[in-house]
Amino acid sequence: MSTTQSTAPASYATPTRRRISTETKASFKTTELIAYVVAVLGVLVASAVVDARDFGAQEAWFYVTLLTIGYMVSRGLAKSGSRDFFDDEIDAGHRGQH
């Protein structure tokens, strides 16, 4: 009577998990994007509503530029020091489940 043994390594018997990461959350998932868009819209609406002598298009676009620089700096700082970790399994259908 002979017994059959598997020649495959034990690591092939069960799904393996890898701990991998992305740099940060996607920008559209952050509240800072929402705050940026609301602030830009607020500046543009304010420039359209008030008298051009008080707050015109040139000033509005200057403030939009400053907001954009601030947003880009904040995203750069967020990306420089954080990681978004998740477990990757062989079966992609089980991603994120423990």
Side-chain angles (χ1 to χ4, degrees), residues 60-81:
W61 286 109
F62 175 72
Y63 288 122
V64 168
T65 301
L66 292 178
L67 287 167
T68 302
I69 292 169
Y71 175 74
M72 292 172 70
V73 167
S74 80
R75 285 301 297 161
L77 290 173
K79 286 181 174 242
S80 70

Side-chain angles (χ1 to χ4, degrees), residues 10-93:
S11 63
Y12 291 133
T14 60
T16 59
R17 298 174 107 179
R18 296 182 304 160
R19 188 72 169 159
I20 57 177
S21 68
T22 58
E23 195 166 335
T24 58
K25 243 194 276 189
S27 64
F28 63 88
K29 293 181 180 179
T30 63
T31 55
E32 60 193 12
L33 176 66
I34 295 167
Y36 168 73
V37 170
V38 168
V40 167
L41 289 175
V43 168
L44 295 177
V45 167
S47 72
V49 171
V50 300
D51 189 12
R53 290 177 292 156
D54 296 329
F55 185 67
Q58 185 173 355
E59 291 88 3
W61 286 109
F62 175 72
Y63 288 122
V64 168
T65 301
L66 292 178
L67 287 167
T68 302
I69 292 169
Y71 175 74
M72 292 172 70
V73 167
S74 80
R75 285 301 297 161
L77 290 173
K79 286 181 174 242
S80 70
S82 67
R83 293 217 164 289
D84 186 19
F85 291 99
F86 61 92
D87 291 328
D88 184 35
E89 296 181 14
I90 290 176
D91 183 6

